[in-house]
CSV table of all heavy atoms in Angstrom, one decimal:
chain,number,residue,atom,x,y,z
A,1,ALA,N,15.3,-1.9,-4.3
A,1,ALA,CA,16.3,-1.5,-3.3
A,1,ALA,C,16.4,0.0,-3.2
A,1,ALA,O,16.6,0.6,-2.1
A,1,ALA,CB,17.7,-2.1,-3.6
A,2,LEU,N,16.4,0.7,-4.4
A,2,LEU,CA,16.5,2.1,-4.4
A,2,LEU,C,15.3,2.8,-3.6
A,2,LEU,O,15.5,3.7,-2.8
A,2,LEU,CB,16.5,2.6,-5.8
A,2,LEU,CG,16.2,4.1,-6.1
A,2,LEU,CD1,17.3,4.9,-5.4
A,2,LEU,CD2,16.2,4.4,-7.6
A,3,LEU,N,14.1,2.3,-3.9
A,3,LEU,CA,12.9,2.9,-3.3
A,3,LEU,C,12.9,2.6,-1.8
A,3,LEU,O,12.5,3.5,-1.0
A,3,LEU,CB,11.6,2.3,-3.9
A,3,LEU,CG,11.4,2.7,-5.4
A,3,LEU,CD1,10.2,2.0,-5.9
A,3,LEU,CD2,11.2,4.2,-5.5
A,4,ALA,N,13.4,1.4,-1.4
A,4,ALA,CA,13.5,1.1,0.1
A,4,ALA,C,14.5,2.1,0.7
A,4,ALA,O,14.2,2.6,1.9
A,4,ALA,CB,14.0,-0.3,0.3
A,5,GLU,N,15.6,2.4,0.1
A,5,GLU,CA,16.5,3.3,0.7
A,5,GLU,C,15.9,4.7,0.8
A,5,GLU,O,16.1,5.4,1.8
A,5,GLU,CB,17.8,3.4,-0.2
A,5,GLU,CG,18.9,4.3,0.4
A,5,GLU,CD,20.2,4.1,-0.2
A,5,GLU,OE1,20.5,3.1,-0.9
A,5,GLU,OE2,21.1,5.0,0.0
A,6,ARG,N,15.2,5.1,-0.2
A,6,ARG,CA,14.5,6.5,-0.2
A,6,ARG,C,13.5,6.5,0.9
A,6,ARG,O,13.4,7.6,1.6
A,6,ARG,CB,13.9,6.8,-1.5
A,6,ARG,CG,14.8,7.0,-2.7
A,6,ARG,CD,14.4,8.1,-3.6
A,6,ARG,NE,14.3,9.4,-2.9
A,6,ARG,CZ,13.4,10.3,-3.2
A,6,ARG,NH1,12.5,10.2,-4.2
A,6,ARG,NH2,13.4,11.5,-2.5
A,7,LEU,N,12.8,5.5,1.1
A,7,LEU,CA,11.8,5.5,2.2
A,7,LEU,C,12.5,5.5,3.6
A,7,LEU,O,12.0,6.2,4.5
A,7,LEU,CB,10.9,4.2,2.1
A,7,LEU,CG,9.9,4.2,0.9
A,7,LEU,CD1,9.3,2.8,0.8
A,7,LEU,CD2,8.9,5.3,1.0
A,8,ASP,N,13.6,4.8,3.7
A,8,ASP,CA,14.4,4.8,5.0
A,8,ASP,C,14.9,6.2,5.3
A,8,ASP,O,15.2,6.5,6.5
A,8,ASP,CB,15.5,3.8,4.9
A,8,ASP,CG,15.1,2.4,4.9
A,8,ASP,OD1,13.9,2.2,5.4
A,8,ASP,OD2,15.9,1.5,4.5
A,9,ARG,N,15.0,7.1,4.3
A,9,ARG,CA,15.6,8.4,4.6
A,9,ARG,C,14.5,9.4,5.0
A,9,ARG,O,14.8,10.6,5.3
A,9,ARG,CB,16.3,8.9,3.3
A,9,ARG,CG,17.6,8.2,3.1
A,9,ARG,CD,18.2,8.7,1.7
A,9,ARG,NE,19.6,8.2,1.6
A,9,ARG,CZ,20.7,8.9,2.1
A,9,ARG,NH1,20.5,10.1,2.7
A,9,ARG,NH2,21.9,8.4,1.9
A,10,LEU,N,13.2,9.0,4.9
A,10,LEU,CA,12.1,9.9,5.3
A,10,LEU,C,12.1,10.2,6.8
A,10,LEU,O,12.5,9.4,7.6
A,10,LEU,CB,10.8,9.3,4.9
A,10,LEU,CG,10.6,9.2,3.4
A,10,LEU,CD1,9.2,8.5,3.1
A,10,LEU,CD2,10.6,10.5,2.6
A,11,GLU,N,11.6,11.4,7.1
A,11,GLU,CA,11.3,11.7,8.5
A,11,GLU,C,10.2,10.8,9.1
A,11,GLU,O,9.4,10.3,8.3
A,11,GLU,CB,10.9,13.2,8.7
A,11,GLU,CG,11.9,14.2,8.2
A,11,GLU,CD,13.2,14.2,9.1
A,11,GLU,OE1,13.0,13.9,10.3
A,11,GLU,OE2,14.3,14.5,8.6
A,12,PRO,N,10.2,10.5,10.4
A,12,PRO,CA,9.2,9.6,10.9
A,12,PRO,C,7.8,10.0,10.5
A,12,PRO,O,7.0,9.1,10.2
A,12,PRO,CB,9.4,9.7,12.4
A,12,PRO,CG,10.9,10.1,12.6
A,12,PRO,CD,11.2,11.0,11.4
A,13,GLY,N,7.4,11.3,10.6
A,13,GLY,CA,6.1,11.7,10.2
A,13,GLY,C,5.8,11.4,8.8
A,13,GLY,O,4.7,11.0,8.4
A,14,GLU,N,6.8,11.7,7.9
A,14,GLU,CA,6.6,11.5,6.5
A,14,GLU,C,6.4,10.0,6.2
A,14,GLU,O,5.6,9.6,5.4
A,14,GLU,CB,7.8,12.0,5.7
A,14,GLU,CG,7.9,13.5,5.8
A,14,GLU,CD,9.3,14.0,5.2
A,14,GLU,OE1,10.1,13.2,4.9
A,14,GLU,OE2,9.5,15.2,5.2
A,15,ARG,N,7.2,9.2,6.9
A,15,ARG,CA,7.1,7.7,6.7
A,15,ARG,C,5.7,7.2,7.1
A,15,ARG,O,5.1,6.4,6.4
A,15,ARG,CB,8.2,7.0,7.5
A,15,ARG,CG,8.2,5.5,7.4
A,15,ARG,CD,8.7,5.1,6.0
A,15,ARG,NE,8.8,3.6,5.9
A,15,ARG,CZ,9.9,3.0,6.0
A,15,ARG,NH1,11.1,3.6,6.2
A,15,ARG,NH2,9.9,1.7,5.9
A,16,ALA,N,5.2,7.7,8.2
A,16,ALA,CA,3.9,7.2,8.7
A,16,ALA,C,2.8,7.7,7.7
A,16,ALA,O,1.9,6.9,7.4
A,16,ALA,CB,3.6,7.8,10.1
A,17,VAL,N,2.9,8.9,7.1
A,17,VAL,CA,1.9,9.3,6.2
A,17,VAL,C,1.9,8.5,4.9
A,17,VAL,O,0.9,8.1,4.4
A,17,VAL,CB,2.1,10.9,5.9
A,17,VAL,CG1,1.4,11.3,4.7
A,17,VAL,CG2,1.7,11.7,7.1
A,18,ILE,N,3.1,8.3,4.3
A,18,ILE,CA,3.2,7.6,3.1
A,18,ILE,C,2.7,6.1,3.2
A,18,ILE,O,2.2,5.5,2.3
A,18,ILE,CB,4.6,7.6,2.5
A,18,ILE,CG1,4.6,7.4,1.0
A,18,ILE,CG2,5.6,6.7,3.1
A,18,ILE,CD1,5.8,7.6,0.2
A,19,GLU,N,3.0,5.5,4.4
A,19,GLU,CA,2.5,4.2,4.7
A,19,GLU,C,1.0,4.1,4.7
A,19,GLU,O,0.3,3.2,4.1
A,19,GLU,CB,3.1,3.6,6.0
A,19,GLU,CG,4.5,3.3,5.9
A,19,GLU,CD,5.2,2.9,7.2
A,19,GLU,OE1,4.5,3.1,8.3
A,19,GLU,OE2,6.3,2.4,7.2
A,20,ARG,N,0.4,5.1,5.3
A,20,ARG,CA,-1.1,5.1,5.3
A,20,ARG,C,-1.7,5.4,4.0
A,20,ARG,O,-2.8,4.9,3.6
A,20,ARG,CB,-1.6,6.1,6.4
A,20,ARG,CG,-1.5,5.5,7.8
A,20,ARG,CD,-1.1,6.5,8.9
A,20,ARG,NE,-1.0,5.7,10.2
A,20,ARG,CZ,0.1,5.1,10.6
A,20,ARG,NH1,1.1,5.0,9.8
A,20,ARG,NH2,0.1,4.4,11.7
A,21,ALA,N,-1.0,6.2,3.2
A,21,ALA,CA,-1.5,6.5,1.8
A,21,ALA,C,-1.4,5.2,1.0
A,21,ALA,O,-2.3,4.9,0.2
A,21,ALA,CB,-0.6,7.5,1.2
A,22,ALA,N,-0.4,4.3,1.3
A,22,ALA,CA,-0.2,3.1,0.5
A,22,ALA,C,-1.4,2.1,0.8
A,22,ALA,O,-1.7,1.3,0.0
A,22,ALA,CB,1.1,2.4,0.9
A,23,ILE,N,-2.0,2.2,2.0
A,23,ILE,CA,-3.1,1.4,2.3
A,23,ILE,C,-4.3,1.7,1.4
A,23,ILE,O,-5.0,0.9,0.9
A,23,ILE,CB,-3.5,1.5,3.8
A,23,ILE,CG1,-2.5,0.9,4.7
A,23,ILE,CG2,-4.9,0.9,4.1
A,23,ILE,CD1,-2.4,-0.6,4.6
A,24,VAL,N,-4.5,3.1,1.2
A,24,VAL,CA,-5.6,3.5,0.4
A,24,VAL,C,-5.5,3.1,-1.0
A,24,VAL,O,-6.4,2.6,-1.7
A,24,VAL,CB,-5.8,5.1,0.5
A,24,VAL,CG1,-7.0,5.5,-0.3
A,24,VAL,CG2,-5.9,5.5,2.0
A,25,GLY,N,-4.3,3.2,-1.6
A,25,GLY,CA,-4.1,2.8,-3.0
A,25,GLY,C,-3.2,3.8,-3.7
A,25,GLY,O,-2.6,4.7,-3.1
A,26,ARG,N,-3.1,3.6,-5.0
A,26,ARG,CA,-2.2,4.6,-5.8
A,26,ARG,C,-2.7,6.0,-5.7
A,26,ARG,O,-2.0,6.9,-5.7
A,26,ARG,CB,-2.1,4.1,-7.2
A,26,ARG,CG,-1.1,4.9,-8.0
A,26,ARG,CD,-0.8,4.4,-9.4
A,26,ARG,NE,0.2,5.3,-10.0
A,26,ARG,CZ,0.6,5.1,-11.3
A,26,ARG,NH1,0.1,4.1,-12.0
A,26,ARG,NH2,1.5,5.9,-11.8
A,27,GLU,N,-4.1,6.2,-5.8
A,27,GLU,CA,-4.7,7.5,-5.6
A,27,GLU,C,-5.3,7.6,-4.2
A,27,GLU,O,-5.9,6.6,-3.7
A,27,GLU,CB,-5.8,7.7,-6.6
A,27,GLU,CG,-5.3,7.7,-8.1
A,27,GLU,CD,-5.4,6.3,-8.7
A,27,GLU,OE1,-6.1,5.5,-8.2
A,27,GLU,OE2,-4.7,6.1,-9.7
A,28,PHE,N,-5.1,8.7,-3.6
A,28,PHE,CA,-5.6,8.8,-2.2
A,28,PHE,C,-5.9,10.3,-1.9
A,28,PHE,O,-5.5,11.2,-2.7
A,28,PHE,CB,-4.6,8.3,-1.2
A,28,PHE,CG,-3.2,8.9,-1.3
A,28,PHE,CD1,-2.9,10.0,-0.6
A,28,PHE,CD2,-2.3,8.4,-2.2
A,28,PHE,CE1,-1.6,10.6,-0.7
A,28,PHE,CE2,-1.0,9.0,-2.3
A,28,PHE,CZ,-0.7,10.1,-1.6
A,29,SER,N,-6.7,10.6,-0.9
A,29,SER,CA,-7.0,11.9,-0.5
A,29,SER,C,-6.3,12.3,0.9
A,29,SER,O,-6.0,11.4,1.7
A,29,SER,CB,-8.5,12.1,-0.4
A,29,SER,OG,-9.0,11.4,0.7
A,30,ARG,N,-6.1,13.6,1.1
A,30,ARG,CA,-5.6,14.0,2.4
A,30,ARG,C,-6.4,13.6,3.5
A,30,ARG,O,-6.0,13.1,4.6
A,30,ARG,CB,-5.4,15.5,2.4
A,30,ARG,CG,-4.9,16.1,3.7
A,30,ARG,CD,-4.9,17.6,3.6
A,30,ARG,NE,-6.2,18.2,3.2
A,30,ARG,CZ,-7.2,18.3,4.0
A,30,ARG,NH1,-7.1,17.8,5.3
A,30,ARG,NH2,-8.4,18.8,3.6
A,31,GLY,N,-7.8,13.6,3.3
A,31,GLY,CA,-8.7,13.3,4.4
A,31,GLY,C,-8.6,11.8,4.8
A,31,GLY,O,-8.7,11.4,5.9
A,32,ALA,N,-8.5,10.9,3.7
A,32,ALA,CA,-8.4,9.5,4.0
A,32,ALA,C,-7.1,9.2,4.8
A,32,ALA,O,-7.1,8.4,5.7
A,32,ALA,CB,-8.4,8.7,2.7
A,33,VAL,N,-6.0,9.8,4.4
A,33,VAL,CA,-4.7,9.6,5.1
A,33,VAL,C,-4.8,10.1,6.6
A,33,VAL,O,-4.4,9.4,7.5
A,33,VAL,CB,-3.6,10.2,4.4
A,33,VAL,CG1,-2.3,10.1,5.2
A,33,VAL,CG2,-3.4,9.6,3.0
A,34,ALA,N,-5.4,11.3,6.7
A,34,ALA,CA,-5.6,11.8,8.1
A,34,ALA,C,-6.4,10.9,9.0
A,34,ALA,O,-6.1,10.8,10.2
A,34,ALA,CB,-6.2,13.2,8.0
A,35,ASP,N,-7.4,10.3,8.4
A,35,ASP,CA,-8.3,9.4,9.2
A,35,ASP,C,-7.5,8.2,9.7
A,35,ASP,O,-7.8,7.7,10.8
A,35,ASP,CB,-9.5,8.9,8.4
A,35,ASP,CG,-10.6,9.9,8.5
A,35,ASP,OD1,-10.5,11.0,9.1
A,35,ASP,OD2,-11.7,9.6,7.8
A,36,LEU,N,-6.5,7.8,8.9
A,36,LEU,CA,-5.7,6.6,9.3
A,36,LEU,C,-4.5,6.9,10.2
A,36,LEU,O,-3.9,6.1,10.8
A,36,LEU,CB,-5.3,5.8,8.1
A,36,LEU,CG,-6.3,5.3,7.2
A,36,LEU,CD1,-5.7,4.6,5.9
A,36,LEU,CD2,-7.2,4.3,7.9
């Protein structure tokens, strides 16, 4: 619940970026996130 609340407080751009990073995995690169 704590993490969900922290994610809800993110700016829309930050939220979109962290979601795409989550697709890649625990480790990710800026280029992979940018492609998505």
Side-chain angles (χ1 to χ4, degrees):
L2 167 60
L3 295 175
E5 183 169 345
R6 291 219 61 209
L7 292 172
D8 286 342
R9 288 175 170 270
L10 294 176
E11 299 293 331
E14 296 168 355
R15 181 68 177 262
V17 165
I18 200 171
E19 288 175 347
R20 280 146 182 83
I23 291 291
V24 181
R26 185 173 183 181
E27 298 93 16
F28 55 91
S29 68
R30 177 185 52 78
V33 174
D35 274 1
L36 297 178

